[in-house]
Amino acid sequence: MKPIRTLLVDDEVLARLALRQALATHADVDIVGECGNAAEALQAYGALKPDLLFLDIRMPGLDGFKLLRELKPDTLPMVVFATAYGQHALRAFDANALDYVLKPIDQARFDQAMARVRKHWRGLHADKPAMSPPAASAEPLQRISVRVGEHIRVIATEAIDWIEADGNYVQIHVGKQSYLHRETLRGLLATLDPQRFLRIHRGTLVNIDRIREVHPLFQGNAEVLLHDGTQLSLSRRFRPHARRALGFA
């Protein structure tokens, strides 16, 4: 098993030193760099492609959560938050962190976190099946689970009105409610039923059944009006596809 290439991100030098000391007994970890803020971390992440981030939450500029939102979901490394503040634990796990250790670091608790990291790491490198079903044969997504506070809300895709991109997240609009979900619009589009969802803008998907009217505008653009009165932009780029899907001239 190759070593776990690890990047330490914390604005306190002593905190990074403590992480190094805690990692000293873990021979399968290779510390590839240290960063004192999110800007340095983004640059180092692009250059070093670490497998694991030890990440502080409160830092000058972007905090640890905002830093993660700058990374592409499909390239996210393993993440363990290391912070002096315990109140962010739930949010940390919501951000798909593997663990959450408090400062000052307790070695026994830290070792538990590393055991969890190691287990996940082995799973990532386990032998994959020789053949995987082709993506094209996969069934369209029928339900999406989103976190709402301490609960998981299950949303039937047929109930969704429209979806808009929000960085590495999407806002899912269902009636008067809106849910933030960690997925890119492009990634979500690949899993949804193309007979139900139509891309009308670089950052917008709409449930075809919710469309009431299309209002042509200048220069090939248009406005899409939903049954609830919501107005969305149909860009010229996606108008030919919309024309075929909706059957208008």
Side-chain angles (χ1 to χ4, degrees):
M1 187 72 66
K2 67 176 185 175
I4 304 172
R5 303 177 70 256
T6 302
L7 183 66
L8 310 182
V9 184
D10 197 306
D11 61 319
E12 299 178 5
V13 175
L14 291 179
R16 299 201 300 271
L17 176 61
L19 285 171
R20 278 190 171 273
Q21 291 173 339
L23 286 167
T25 59
H26 296 272
D28 55 349
V29 171
D30 181 12
I31 299 175
V32 296
E34 295 184 14
C35 301
N37 56 56
E40 291 179 5
L42 287 171
Q43 186 172 12
Y45 179 79
L48 300 172
K49 299 291 189 296
D51 306 306
L52 171 64
L53 286 183
F54 273 97
L55 184 58
D56 192 13
I57 292 179
R58 294 190 179 182
M59 296 183 292
L62 295 179
D63 64 25
F65 294 116
K66 290 179 179 176
L67 187 156
L68 288 183
R69 293 182 66 169
E70 294 296 316
L71 305 179
K72 295 180 179 178
D74 56 352
T75 65
L76 276 179
M78 298 180 289
V79 175
V80 174
F81 281 105
T83 176
Y85 305 95
Q87 66 269 32
H88 300 297
L90 184 62
R91 191 179 174 196
F93 287 110
D94 193 31
N96 294 323
L98 289 180
D99 212 331
Y100 185 98
V101 295
L102 291 175
K103 297 183 287 189
I105 290 175
D106 175 81
Q107 187 67 46
R109 177 65 184 86
F110 185 87
D111 292 344
Q112 289 179 2
M114 283 306 301
R116 183 171 294 178
V117 166
R118 199 166 286 112
K119 181 179 180 180
H120 188 80
W121 180 245
R122 288 170 179 159
L124 290 175
H125 291 82
D127 292 337
K128 300 294 190 299
M131 294 186 64
S132 300
S137 64
E139 292 292 329
L141 195 65
Q142 300 296 315
R143 286 168 288 279
I144 299 175
S145 295
V146 301
R147 181 173 288 278
V148 180
E150 298 181 356
H151 306 287
I152 303 296
R153 179 71 51 82
V154 179
I155 303 171
T157 54
E158 64 182 5
I160 296 171
D161 297 324
W162 62 288
I163 303 169
E164 64 179 325
D166 186 1
N168 288 329
Y169 289 69
V170 291
Q171 291 282 356
I172 299 174
H173 298 273
V174 183
K176 296 181 179 179
Q177 301 297 318
S178 176
Y179 303 95
L180 186 65
H181 179 55
R182 186 181 179 85
E183 176 62 275
T184 63
L185 192 75
R186 182 176 182 180
L188 193 57
L189 177 62
T191 63
L192 292 171
D193 185 351
Q195 300 301 313
R196 182 182 298 280
F197 287 92
L198 177 67
R199 193 171 191 175
I200 59 173
H201 192 276
R202 187 166 60 90
T204 310
L205 303 178
V206 63
N207 186 333
I208 292 175
D209 292 338
R210 300 298 193 274
I211 296 175
R212 189 175 79 187
E213 297 174 2
V214 176
H215 301 161
L217 302 174
F218 295 109
Q219 299 181 331
N221 297 309
E223 178 187 82
V224 171
L225 182 65
L226 306 190
H227 286 285
D228 66 355
T230 300
Q231 298 174 335
L232 303 173
S233 294
L234 169 58
S235 71
R236 182 172 57 184
R237 174 185 173 188
F238 294 99
R239 183 165 175 167
H241 182 54
R243 184 186 298 120
R244 290 192 295 273
L246 300 174
F248 65 88

